[in-house]
Amino acid sequence: MEKTVFKPKIPIEKQVLTTANGDEAVAYAVKQSYVDVVAAYPITPQTIIVEKYSEFVNDGLVHTEFIPVESEHSAMSACVGAAAAGARAFTATSSQGLALMVEIVYIASALRLPIVMAVVNRALSAPINIHNDHSDAYLMRDSGWIQLFVENVQETYDTTIQAFKIAEDPRVQLPVAVNLDGFFLSHTLENFYMLPDDTVYEFLGGPRKLVNVKVDYFSEEVPLVLNPARPLTFGSLDLYDYYFEHKVQQVEAMKNVPPVVREINEEWYKLTGRRYGDGVVDAYGVEDADIVIVAMGSGAGTIRSVVKKLREKGEKIGLLKIRMFRPFPYSDIAEILSGAKIVAVMDKAIGPGSFGALYEDIAVSLYDLDERPLLLDYIYGLGGRDLPPSLVYRMIEEVKKDLESKSVERKIRYLGVRE
Amino acid sequence: MTVQTLPEFPVKKGEPAYKVWIFEPGWKGEIPLNFNLRQLAEQKRPVLLPGHRLCAGCTAPLVVKLASFALRGPTIFVNATGCLEVASTIFPYTSWAAPWIHVAFENAAAVAGGVESAIKALKKTGRLPYDHVDVIVFAGDGGTFDIGFQALSGMAERGHDVLYILYDNEAYMNTGIQRSGGTPQFASTTTSPAGEVIPGKTQAKKPIADIMVAHRIPYVATATPAHWMDFMKKVRRGLEVNGPAFIHALSDCNRGWRHETDISVEIMRRAVDTCYFPLWEWTPEQGYMLTDRSLAIARNPALKQPIEKYIEVQGRFRHLLKPENKELLKQFQEYVDKVWEDLLRRASNAPK
């Protein structure tokens, strides 16, 4: 059988090789995504996104209305207003800013508004710390947003554009948070390939398209937007007789997300030649692995390089990168991890008095398996602490010992903390 | 009484569903001669339809209805959490014949800023099916004086083209009459009760309209639904200026102010007659201008009533009328006089 070489629609030589940090990559992606309203308040390490974007606005390169709000709470509020009025809206934040806006973060998803937000992950106070961990992302875990985690600058750029398409898909209509690690990605220069502007415009299908809804009052389907010709009421009071049903509808919408994310990942592959696993999870060498490490974000990149080297030596080790944290792909993970003997989950945040959130989700995924792998939780990198390859090697040595003894004594372990 | 005829739904494509404004687009300020409140009620349809669940005697719906009679075209309404919001939109019902959004208690101004920016962006790219869409915010005193003040101040500073109408019932009425930054001194509320030692709220009312004047936005006014024509004209002016406008409307709450439901409008009239709540408007060009009844009082000070006229009909001030609290009543009168005289000094049309 003749093997055909896959050729993407926009081959690599037609893409523009640029150097930028993660924040700038987000700004470029938003610039190309025909966004109508950007509202943001500066917070380290997110600032570069809005700084760069303000340049685009003030140089007349985009049609976007930029709202320099007085707080993150108002940033999300303005995005909710703009999205409800039919605009494609974007904001970016981090840490304390996300904590301040979290009230409206819940409202944005419950009103089914396809807002995209870049969350440049940073530790929460106190003690105040400007560096990276995932405690802010875990804070909005149950808010009903789709949460995607990226590994490098190229993925940051690609995912931000995909996020608009995922959010606005008629089956989804939910906001998307693109999580990139503060400083590790936001401030690190990397080469990445950018698409031509019109390709992105075409990929997104032009400006935002509204979905139609059936309302008893009207004899036709009306667009879900603040429209003077077909007035709708957004954000009404829901008592015990409807609130529950509406929340369940949100859950139903979440169920549509994984197939859409996978579809868009494939579509992106055909367009650019790049894809990230199946879009939901990115498994590397887990088919035959005894030891599987589960991680999210930029840390997955470091672990990937270590795992690669160990596999070259013939060790049965794999990496499972979670790209889509919410909705969590429980059954996919159960399938992927069913052959493993021991699974080490890497959490970059912790809730005092419990396990890391990723660990809990992995444990839930594995619970129904007949033969469950051993499971342990590594907390690492809090407050921006580095994860050098040497630390990953040390962790893997520890995990190997657990595998030999077939028991896990301490479930939670801290990686790289001074005793 | 003739039966009110409502426009049929659905209306023609691309047309607003509530084509009800009395002042047609291009209105320049002249009042139709053959025009009174009854005609208005019978012939015009407000954006707030019958069937809402606000209390009998509440004036918040009057504020909304009168404001909606002064619309000039397609309008989007933003509402802060409060009585008006919870009582008019209990799912699956809504009283709003206009596009309406509520997000949270403290961010109505920010949401309106987002809506306005979206309208601008859509217009810029040729996707807005109208020449212009107005944005109006309704918020209570809690969502304006207190928790929502930051968003309001930010919106004013950024210059969004939004009309913000505060309906001020002088306490957190939606949660059961707790004091707010808008509660007047000595008023008894559930968190500032008139007790044995402390006689109601000890602090004075925050001068919110003056604070908005200090923002140097294009238009600020005070109004009450009792002075309905004055109110409607102010709403229209607020819509027509290019930039943020703020209207502070006194809005009676018979539950919180403790009185019978049939004297709400009368009480608001007395608020103006006693100069407790003077009517004025402010623009950067003309400064403070007294309007309606307050202008009449300025020209003829004999019309000014003592503050007792305002408080005697309200249970929340009942303790001030006791003989032992004479001193407090005097203090209240002095405070009102001082504010009124200060306004007379600033108002450019007050007789000097």
Side-chain angles (χ1 to χ4, degrees):
Chain A
M1 211 169 86
E2 199 182 323
K3 207 179 168 190
T4 51
V5 182
F6 168 72
K7 201 159 162 51
K9 206 172 148 211
I10 311 290
I12 209 83
E13 57 273 14
K14 279 195 190 165
Q15 301 181 24
V16 190
L17 181 63
T18 323
T19 304
N21 59 43
D23 276 354
E24 284 173 343
V26 171
Y28 283 121
V30 175
K31 175 183 172 234
Q32 294 182 322
S33 298
Y34 206 77
V35 172
D36 298 310
V37 175
V38 170
Y41 189 74
I43 180 169
T44 303
Q46 157 265 35
T47 35
I48 304 170
I49 298 176
V50 275
E51 283 169 7
K52 193 81 196 163
Y53 205 77
S54 310
E55 285 175 23
F56 299 148
V57 173
N58 286 9
D59 289 342
L61 301 175
V62 285
H63 75 279
T64 312
E65 283 295 319
F66 180 64
I67 318 179
V69 279
E70 83 293 336
S71 74
E72 285 88 354
H73 194 282
S74 288
M76 186 45 72
S77 302
C79 283
V80 167
R88 183 174 282 161
F90 172 84
T91 186
T93 193
S94 190
S95 181
Q96 303 303 118
L98 183 64
L100 179 60
M101 69 162 64
V102 86
E103 179 198 15
I104 313 301
V105 166
Y106 274 70
I107 294 174
S109 64
L111 289 179
R112 306 289 297 276
L113 299 172
I115 299 164
V116 172
M117 170 161 68
V119 180
V120 187
N121 298 125
R122 165 185 151 180
L124 285 174
S125 285
I128 187 165
N129 177 303
I130 59 163
H131 291 279
N132 166 243
D133 67 32
H134 292 161
S135 38
D136 53 358
Y138 287 179
L139 175 73
M140 65 176 286
R141 188 185 57 167
D142 299 330
S143 63
W145 280 56
I146 298 162
Q147 286 181 287
L148 303 173
F149 279 78
V150 300
E151 185 180 319
N152 51 40
V153 172
Q154 182 69 65
E155 192 178 353
T156 306
Y157 169 80
D158 294 350
T159 307
T160 307
I161 295 170
Q162 291 174 16
F164 288 103
K165 199 168 168 107
I166 295 167
E168 289 167 19
D169 191 290
R171 292 164 285 176
V172 177
Q173 290 291 310
L174 286 170
V176 180
V178 179
N179 289 272
L180 60 148
D181 284 348
F183 294 101
F184 291 121
L185 285 184
S186 71
H187 285 60
T188 305
L189 285 174
E190 276 180 28
N191 287 348
F192 74 103
Y193 288 96
M194 249 168 76
L195 294 178
D197 287 359
D198 50 344
T199 309
V200 177
Y201 188 81
E202 211 176 294
F203 172 76
L204 293 175
R208 182 182 153 199
K209 298 216 173 26
L210 300 167
V211 293
N212 286 339
V213 287
K214 184 88 196 79
V215 180
D216 290 347
Y217 195 75
F218 298 102
S219 54
E220 58 191 305
E221 289 203 338
V222 296
L224 183 63
V225 66
L226 293 167
N227 175 10
R230 296 288 181 274
L232 296 178
T233 294
F234 278 66
S236 60
L237 176 72
D238 243 22
L239 299 175
Y240 38 73
D241 45 359
Y242 284 99
Y243 181 84
F244 208 158
E245 278 76 12
H246 285 155
K247 281 288 149 189
V248 172
Q249 282 181 9
Q250 234 179 305
V251 176
E252 291 298 313
M254 267 291 191
K255 282 186 190 161
N256 297 336
V257 174
V260 172
V261 171
R262 284 194 198 102
E263 253 172 51
I264 289 170
N265 185 56
E266 272 314 297
E267 205 180 316
W268 191 256
Y269 177 61
K270 281 180 194 141
L271 186 70
T272 67
R274 288 189 294 273
R275 64 177 153 190
Y276 301 96
D278 69 344
V280 171
V281 290
D282 187 357
Y284 173 71
V286 290
E287 304 80 25
D288 59 340
D290 293 334
I291 301 173
V292 178
I293 303 166
V294 183
M296 291 197 299
S298 66
T302 311
I303 299 162
R304 189 188 299 269
S305 71
V306 172
V307 167
K308 207 172 169 184
K309 279 187 184 139
L310 289 174
R311 283 194 74 84
E312 279 164 13
K313 283 189 200 160
E315 297 198 26
K316 288 183 167 182
I317 289 184
L319 165 72
L320 177 62
K321 183 182 96 167
I322 309 292
R323 183 164 180 261
M324 187 177 78
F325 178 55
R326 280 292 177 275
F328 198 76
Y330 292 100
S331 50
D332 294 31
I333 285 169
E335 206 175 299
I336 292 167
L337 295 182
S338 58
K341 289 185 179 144
I342 187 161
V343 175
V345 183
M346 309 270 295
D347 261 301
K348 217 174 192 181
I350 187 170
S354 76
F355 289 91
L358 186 58
Y359 173 86
E360 287 172 358
D361 285 326
I362 298 289
V364 171
S365 311
L366 299 179
Y367 185 80
D368 288 331
L369 292 179
D370 296 330
E371 265 184 63
R372 290 192 282 265
L374 294 170
L375 190 59
L376 43 90
D377 188 12
Y378 276 98
I379 310 288
Y380 76 107
L382 297 195
R385 182 150 301 177
D386 206 6
L387 179 72
S390 57
L391 209 57
V392 180
Y393 280 116
R394 218 168 74 198
M395 180 190 86
I396 290 170
E397 286 309 309
E398 245 179 59
V399 175
K400 275 185 200 159
K401 274 183 206 155
D402 289 317
L403 184 58
E404 272 169 35
S405 64
K406 290 201 163 70
S407 71
V408 176
E409 269 183 27
R410 275 172 62 208
K411 278 270 182 192
I412 296 190
R413 294 168 194 182
Y414 306 110
L415 206 54
V417 75
R418 289 188 294 270
E419 296 290 333
Chain B
M1 195 176 149
T2 53
V3 182
Q4 188 179 12
T5 52
L6 301 177
E8 278 182 21
F9 269 89
V11 293
K12 273 187 200 152
K13 266 206 173 106
E15 263 188 16
Y18 51 95
K19 215 177 163 189
V20 291
W21 46 93
I22 54 167
F23 308 126
E24 293 302 323
W27 180 70
K28 288 285 180 282
E30 69 276 14
I31 303 159
L33 283 174
N34 53 351
F35 183 74
N36 62 40
L37 199 51
R38 161 161 279 198
Q39 281 175 321
L40 196 64
E42 287 178 354
Q43 294 169 10
K44 303 293 177 183
R45 186 184 177 194
V47 295
L48 192 71
L49 303 179
H52 63 71
R53 300 170 198 198
L54 286 151
C55 305
C58 173
T59 48
L62 296 188
V63 169
V64 176
K65 286 176 181 180
L66 288 172
S68 69
F69 289 140
L71 301 184
R72 58 172 178 170
T75 310
I76 292 174
F77 291 88
V78 181
N79 211 160
T81 309
C83 295
L84 179 62
E85 174 263 323
V86 298
S88 63
T89 64
I90 302 178
F91 195 87
Y93 306 108
T94 179
S95 269
W96 293 84
W100 180 95
I101 182 168
H102 153 254
V103 178
F105 188 25
E106 68 281 38
N107 62 352
V111 175
V115 170
E116 185 252 10
S117 298
I119 289 166
K120 268 195 202 160
L122 294 177
K123 194 173 176 183
K124 222 188 278 180
T125 50
R127 287 181 285 153
L128 190 72
Y130 308 98
D131 291 338
H132 182 78
V133 178
D134 285 319
V135 182
I136 296 182
V137 176
F138 287 110
D141 52 300
T144 305
F145 287 78
D146 297 344
I147 192 170
F149 183 70
Q150 177 184 308
L152 171 62
S153 180
M155 181 204 85
E157 184 264 328
R158 292 190 301 274
H160 292 288
D161 191 7
V162 171
L163 170 60
Y164 192 103
I165 300 177
L166 152 68
Y167 71 99
D168 178 12
N169 46 31
E170 304 200 318
Y172 294 99
M173 299 309 184
N174 191 34
T175 42
I177 318 156
Q178 294 87 16
R179 60 88 86 188
S180 79
T183 306
Q185 199 174 10
F186 306 122
S188 175
T189 69
T190 53
T191 50
S192 66
E196 297 295 324
V197 181
I198 301 171
K201 194 191 173 197
T202 48
Q203 304 84 1
K205 186 183 174 93
K206 194 194 267 190
I208 189 75
D210 290 318
I211 295 170
M212 294 317 290
V213 167
H215 282 74
R216 315 294 297 180
I217 55 176
Y219 188 76
V220 180
T222 64
T224 85
H227 306 79
W228 55 277
M229 181 52 91
D230 177 64
F231 180 43
M232 291 195 305
K233 282 198 268 185
K234 283 171 174 169
V235 170
R236 187 55 175 251
R237 256 169 238 160
L239 287 173
E240 278 175 359
V241 294
N242 199 5
F246 181 84
I247 293 177
H248 179 185
L250 192 67
S251 178
D252 172 85
C253 169
N254 55 66
R255 291 286 304 114
W257 295 13
R258 312 279 187 213
H259 61 79
E260 292 302 317
T261 55
D262 55 351
I263 54 167
S264 306
V265 173
E266 170 62 20
I267 286 180
M268 281 182 295
R269 205 170 285 136
R270 288 187 187 201
V272 175
D273 289 349
T274 57
C275 296
Y276 166 77
F277 190 83
L279 298 172
W280 50 264
E281 58 185 357
W282 180 92
T283 58
E285 298 78 34
Q286 292 174 304
Y288 286 87
M289 301 274 283
L290 293 168
T291 63
D292 207 273
R293 185 70 180 170
S294 292
L295 182 59
I297 295 169
R299 286 177 180 156
N300 182 6
L303 294 175
K304 184 169 179 266
Q305 308 274 332
I307 193 68
E308 284 96 324
K309 279 278 173 213
Y310 177 56
I311 64 176
E312 69 188 8
V313 282
Q314 301 178 43
R316 62 175 177 158
F317 290 120
R318 190 182 294 121
H319 55 289
L320 290 187
L321 300 173
K322 288 182 189 160
E324 64 265 31
N325 284 337
K326 240 182 178 158
E327 184 53 31
L328 299 180
L329 192 62
K330 208 175 126 220
Q331 271 182 40
F332 199 178
Q333 182 67 58
E334 279 167 7
Y335 173 78
V336 169
D337 290 346
K338 224 161 63 189
V339 173
W340 170 243
E341 276 155 28
D342 183 38
L343 180 64
L344 287 182
R345 269 197 299 281
R346 282 179 289 167
S348 57
N349 63 346
K352 300 290 176 217

